Amino acid sequence: MQTSQRSFVQKLKKRTFKQVSILLLAILVLVIAGCSNAKSSKIVIATKGNTESNIMQQLLKLIVTENTSINVETVKLDNNILWEAIKKGDVDAYVEYTGTALMNILKQAPERDPEKVYNKVKTMLNEQENLTMLDPLGFDSTYAFAIRKEVADKYGITNLTQLAKHSNQLIFAAEPLIEKSNRPDGYRLVKEAYGFNFKQLMGISSPPLQLEALKNKEADVIITLATKGIFEVNNLVPLEDDKHIFIPYYAAPLVRNETLKAHPELKEVLNKLSNKVSLQAIREMNRQVDAEQKEPEDVAKAWLKQEGFLK
């Protein structure tokens, strides 16, 4: 082969190798970008594992999948593990309660004004933990006294001041050591504020057994969560905390700032639920899961459809 031909062939080989290399590099970049996009299009929404938290998880998941192309994975984690997981980035979002965030997470003194608690928690979580607490969903999962309806009707009891007035004629079914609890949102503080003097404290730790005692008319009053689905089905009346002694536990989505930066549409989508989940609505959803053994996803989906959030 002549020198000029050999030189031409070598140049051609070099050019072809260079072109192939560029092509392979371009393909590699596209593959990496594709993997990155696939990774960033996924978020993880967690639950604490109880009925209410399970329902809230499904509400968030369903409204996100309805309104975005984000792939949502769900996990169940213990409370303490969940908090560490969202800080590390293993979890992107879950529903937290303002009172829990105030005292258990941020280690702040108890406060009782719902708006002040929410604003304080929102500010501190953003500044200290790089987390955003979105708008409250609409219900307060605080504590509540419940009384048998016939007893409430007999004495005209609708709030805790009226309950205190007639407490010496009533039997209170509760944890045996409830009066010794040092919780800042516990019974002892409420007792001091209202002046309860119950005829008897029936020491029962199990909530189902407490309900059984009410059903059998062995007790008249219990303390429970305001969002439980036990009131109507057990003929109970939840009583108003008219002095606002219980700490507010408003439920609100908590989301990592990095997640909102990657998916800015999430804020508007999740805030569609802002103040839409009433106390009565969550009680009914909790009741369906606990009493009727329905799946949290089915209950959440039915409510979202009923309210026009899902097609």
Side-chain angles (χ1 to χ4, degrees), residues 45-46 48 60 82-83 86 91-96 105 252-254:
I45 299 178
K48 299 180 180 184
L60 299 195
L82 172 53
W83 175 240
I86 196 169
V91 166
D92 293 286
Y94 74 98
V95 172
E96 187 55 275
I105 295 174
L254 189 62

Side-chain angles (χ1 to χ4, degrees), residues 247-297:
I247 292 169
Y249 285 83
Y250 279 86
L254 189 62
V255 190
R256 300 183 76 244
N257 288 352
E258 289 182 11
T259 304
L260 290 176
K261 185 177 180 180
H263 305 285
E265 70 273 25
L266 273 178
K267 183 175 182 179
E268 181 179 352
V269 168
L270 292 176
N271 275 341
K272 287 178 180 288
L273 296 173
S274 173
N275 291 312
K276 294 296 191 299
V277 188
S278 68
L279 182 58
Q280 190 56 45
I282 189 59
R283 280 176 181 168
E284 175 57 20
M285 285 190 274
N286 281 332
R287 185 197 67 78
Q288 289 180 33
V289 174
D290 288 334
E292 299 181 15
Q293 301 299 302
K294 292 184 178 180
E295 290 296 325
E297 182 175 9

